[in-house]
Amino acid sequence: KYDAMTLPRFEAQHFRSRDFSSEAFTRGYYDTCTFKDCHFNATKLSHSQFAECTFDSCDLSAARIDDTAFKTVTFRECKLVGLYFEHCHFFLLDLRFERCQLHLSSFQKVPLSETVLADCDLREVDFSAADLRRADFSGSTLERAVFYRSQLESADFRRARHYSINPAENRVRGARFHRHGLAGLLHHFELDLSG
């Protein structure tokens, strides 16, 4: 387990076009840093802290994020395939995703209330038992995403597509859905919604 006081600090630095999948990544405390067009494929980011940071057009697929802290971090147009966010540090966790590919990632039991996942590819993402109260899924594709015992109260699915959510297995009070997406809520009941 890391001690934030002993980590090297990087403040307000800009990292551009770095390939951390082939060069060493320094475990540390990154404050108000930006990462642009960087590669972190299968990179070990474990025990690092990122506060007020932005990742723009980066590839973090299969990165190791064991006990990694993300405090007010934005991922924009990033590839984050196969990440296990349930392994990261939950204290002050604050994430935002815009136009990201999160295919096959997992957020089991992760506290994500008020998180924005806008215009993202969320196919086959596991949200089991996640706290997604007031989360915004605007414009995202949720084909084969798993929602089981998830807290979805007041979440916004009005512009989301291809979701399948069983209201009997999830908490959906106050969640917002477009009427054209009601089939994604009702198909579990084997109803005939034709004509």
Side-chain angles (χ1 to χ4, degrees):
K1 204 166 178 78
Y2 62 77
D3 177 0
M5 300 305 290
T6 63
L7 291 175
R9 297 182 69 89
F10 302 88
E11 296 187 33
Q13 293 193 26
H14 303 283
F15 300 88
R16 187 180 182 93
S17 301
R18 300 279 295 272
D19 187 353
F20 295 108
S21 60
S22 59
E23 64 178 275
F25 174 79
T26 302
R27 180 180 72 171
Y29 184 92
Y30 294 82
D31 186 11
T32 60
C33 293
T34 59
F35 299 86
K36 171 76 172 173
D37 296 316
C38 292
H39 294 274
F40 297 89
N41 309 73
T43 300
K44 186 174 182 181
L45 303 178
S46 302
H47 310 296
S48 287
Q49 289 198 39
F50 299 91
E52 303 281 344
C53 291
T54 301
F55 292 82
D56 195 352
S57 301
C58 294
D59 187 348
L60 294 95
S61 296
R64 294 281 306 275
I65 54 173
D66 302 291
D67 212 24
T68 303
F70 295 106
K71 303 173 181 179
T72 314
V73 174
T74 297
F75 295 95
R76 189 175 295 116
E77 296 184 353
C78 289
K79 188 174 181 181
L80 303 124
V81 175
L83 264 65
Y84 293 92
F85 285 92
E86 62 263 31
H87 295 163
C88 71
H89 200 282
F90 291 169
F91 183 67
L92 298 178
L93 179 69
D94 185 359
L95 300 166
R96 181 183 180 93
F97 302 94
E98 301 171 2
R99 301 179 302 280
C100 290
Q101 183 178 355
L102 288 139
H103 187 62
L104 293 170
S105 287
S106 178
F107 292 92
Q108 288 187 35
K109 300 181 180 179
V110 177
L112 295 166
S113 61
E114 301 186 11
T115 295
V116 173
L117 298 119
D119 301 304
C120 292
D121 176 355
L122 302 173
R123 290 175 297 147
E124 301 182 79
V125 171
D126 191 348
F127 292 108
S128 297
D131 180 355
L132 293 157
R133 290 173 293 176
R134 298 176 302 283
D136 184 357
F137 290 91
S138 295
S140 290
T141 299
L142 290 151
E143 188 174 356
R144 296 186 303 280
V146 177
F147 293 95
Y148 178 68
R149 296 186 177 175
S150 306
Q151 297 179 52
L152 304 172
E153 295 97 331
S154 302
D156 191 346
F157 290 92
R158 288 177 295 182
R159 289 182 47 238
R161 300 178 303 277
H162 308 300
Y163 52 80
S164 176
I165 300 169
N166 187 341
E169 296 179 345
N170 297 280
R171 297 165 70 176
V172 296
R173 185 182 182 96
R176 293 172 285 178
F177 299 91
H178 193 281
R179 61 187 171 89
H180 295 302
L182 292 181
L185 294 173
L186 300 175
H187 86 274
H188 297 280
F189 301 106
E190 299 182 9
L191 303 174
D192 184 355
L193 302 176
S194 61

